[in-house]
Amino acid sequence: MPASGSVSQAKAASPVAPGEILAGRYRITEPVAAGCTGYVVRARDEEVDIDVAIKLLAANLLQTEQDKTVFLKAVKAAKKAHHGNIVRIYDGGRSERHTFYTMPFLEGLSLRKIIDLRLEKEQVLTLGEALPLVGQLAMAIDALAKMGGHGSLRPANVMVLPDILKITAVPHFHGLPRKPYLAVLTRAKVLEYLAPEARREDAEIDSRADVYSVAVILGEMITGLVYGRDALPWHAAMERLPPGVVSALERALTDNPAERFATGSAFFEQLAEASASAGLDLTVPGSGGIPPMAAEYTDSTSTPAVPTDALVKAMGPALELEQEISALQPAAPGVSRKTPTLRPREVRELSGRDARAHERRGNRKAPPFVGWLATTIILAGIAISAAVYYRQRTE
């Protein structure tokens, strides 16, 4: 699973070289990226003849045999997470020098990269672009609830493909020794994405910690600011958002888990209702059915359910975001790719300590929003344009 947007030196720092065989099975083909907790490399699984991504955990995070055993136990538990918005984990293992796990190799951009690209242009995502992403994040964290949640969700752990969003790093929070893991995140200056209870070494967490993380991510997408880093610009940015959206964010970001939304879907529902009330058009004509491509993301371990018509939503601005993502994806060998012409759009621009926001205006009638029950928004032909519900397999 490539983590786009990493530093250019990441490949040179890879602990394994192309051609090296890991655990007698995986032939390394290329380094991909470095992250807080280790390295991702691409390899060929010679037993089944497919390409995989391998996460090699940093040695300083797993220093004892007990540490390695606990982590591989967390990997085994994470293998049971079967959901369209969660990267599948194939296997975990150890070699003489490395503790690792394998997953599908997917071409995509991290949400970190997408946010940074917008900020380079002094732009941020609009609510219409961000909500479909939040819908998929919400369903992913709800699917992980019975496993104790993700724990450390942040933009670098969210991959956006041309047709779906997927979260990574599922076994890290529960499998890595807490103190050194938190120290690594502190040095990387990403601790703000974790809920307050997740920052404590001895605290137990549940999916409400992930609701907090999703709220921080949403806030950054639509304001360019990370909650908790600088209070004055954050409050200025909140004044320019629809009041209902601000209310939902404030509830999701409270320090007390008991006062947050109990589920990601409840958080998303309030956001969608608030956006509709503010005049954001959440519908696209002709989007009344399940996208044909949805079947591509359904396998023997995840079963799609038929949503009600009211649950099948499409987000118009998501098309523009998909065009940007698609233009940045590497084209398949021998296939030419036209650079899409992006439609003009209003954006919120950041200038100094002020986050100026342009609210979409017009006489569009806000569509009614019916409660969102265990659904996820999946793209069919355009990124994140329609909602499809993925129900976890009963283990």
Side-chain angles (χ1 to χ4, degrees):
M1 166 60 73
S4 303
S6 55
V7 294
S8 58
Q9 295 85 357
K11 293 188 177 183
S14 174
V16 291
E20 185 175 339
I21 297 180
L22 183 67
R25 173 176 180 175
Y26 304 104
R27 184 177 296 275
I28 308 302
T29 56
E30 62 174 329
V32 175
C36 295
T37 55
Y39 298 84
V40 177
V41 297
R42 185 174 185 170
R44 191 71 177 177
D45 184 344
E46 297 189 336
E47 286 193 11
V48 293
D49 199 29
I50 62 169
D51 280 357
V52 297
I54 302 179
K55 176 73 175 188
L56 302 164
L57 276 299
N60 64 327
L61 287 174
L62 298 172
Q63 297 186 11
T64 69
E65 291 300 310
Q66 178 65 16
D67 289 343
K68 296 171 184 176
T69 298
V70 170
F71 181 76
L72 291 177
K73 183 178 179 180
V75 170
K76 185 177 181 180
K79 287 172 62 177
K80 298 178 181 180
H82 301 304
H83 189 275
N85 294 120
I86 301 172
V87 171
R88 288 285 305 276
I89 292 180
Y90 291 147
D91 203 4
R94 296 171 57 180
S95 66
E96 185 177 344
R97 294 184 296 130
H98 302 290
T99 303
F100 64 90
Y101 62 91
T102 65
M103 50 193 165
F105 185 84
L106 304 172
E107 296 285 358
L109 294 175
S110 71
L111 186 55
R112 173 76 274 145
K113 180 65 173 178
I114 292 171
I115 293 172
D116 289 345
L117 287 172
R118 284 293 179 90
L119 292 178
E120 288 174 7
K121 302 176 184 178
E122 297 187 332
Q123 298 174 357
V124 293
L125 276 71
T126 65
L127 270 174
E129 292 169 327
L131 280 179
L133 299 173
V134 174
Q136 295 192 62
L137 285 172
M139 280 313 307
I141 65 175
D142 285 354
L144 291 172
K146 68 179 182 180
M147 298 172 54
H150 186 287
S152 59
L153 198 60
R154 57 189 190 276
N157 292 336
V158 180
M159 296 299 297
V160 182
L161 312 181
D163 41 20
I164 197 170
L165 171 152
K166 291 179 179 285
I167 65 171
T168 67
V170 173
H172 293 190
F173 185 84
H174 297 288
L176 293 172
R178 188 73 61 86
K179 186 173 183 178
Y181 181 53
L182 293 176
V184 164
L185 298 183
T186 301
R187 288 195 296 271
K189 299 180 180 180
V190 294
L191 201 62
E192 293 91 345
Y193 295 101
L194 273 65
E197 66 270 24
R199 302 175 205 173
R200 297 192 292 268
E201 293 180 28
D202 57 350
E204 294 295 324
I205 67 159
D206 57 28
S207 60
R208 291 173 296 183
D210 293 334
V211 170
Y212 182 99
S213 298
V214 171
V216 177
I217 292 170
L218 171 61
E220 186 179 11
M221 284 195 287
I222 61 178
T223 70
L225 304 169
V226 178
Y227 177 75
R229 287 187 182 170
D230 203 336
L232 290 178
W234 174 265
H235 289 303
M238 290 300 100
E239 292 177 358
R240 291 159 175 81
L241 292 176
V245 173
V246 175
S247 177
L249 280 170
E250 289 177 344
R251 180 178 172 186
L253 291 170
T254 183
D255 286 352
N256 184 356
E259 296 177 1
R260 295 182 206 137
F261 297 97
T263 64
S265 58
F267 178 38
F268 177 78
E269 179 177 345
Q270 183 162 329
L271 286 169
E273 289 177 342
S275 299
S277 297
L280 179 63
D281 192 351
L282 301 183
T283 64
V284 171
S287 61
I290 299 176
M293 290 179 65
E296 185 176 338
Y297 298 97
T298 306
D299 55 27
S300 60
T301 58
S302 60
T303 305
V306 178
T308 65
D309 289 342
L311 296 178
V312 182
K313 299 288 185 183
M315 305 291 190
L319 174 58
E320 297 175 356
L321 179 59
E322 185 273 340
Q323 289 175 322
E324 291 187 30
I325 296 169
S326 180
L328 292 167
Q329 302 297 338
V335 177
S336 62
R337 183 193 298 277
K338 288 186 177 180
T339 301
T341 301
L342 300 181
R343 299 193 302 269
R345 58 178 167 273
E346 296 177 283
V347 296
R348 298 181 178 86
E349 296 181 344
L350 299 177
S351 176
R353 297 174 62 86
D354 186 32
R356 296 193 298 271
H358 295 287
E359 294 186 9
R360 295 179 180 271
R361 301 184 184 277
N363 297 319
R364 295 174 298 184
K365 183 179 179 181
F369 186 82
V370 178
W372 186 59
L373 306 172
T375 61
T376 190
I377 303 171
I378 293 241
L379 290 175
I382 64 173
I384 317 153
S385 67
V388 165
Y389 172 63
Y390 277 90
R391 183 172 53 201
Q392 294 185 53
R393 180 185 180 184
T394 302
E395 296 295 336

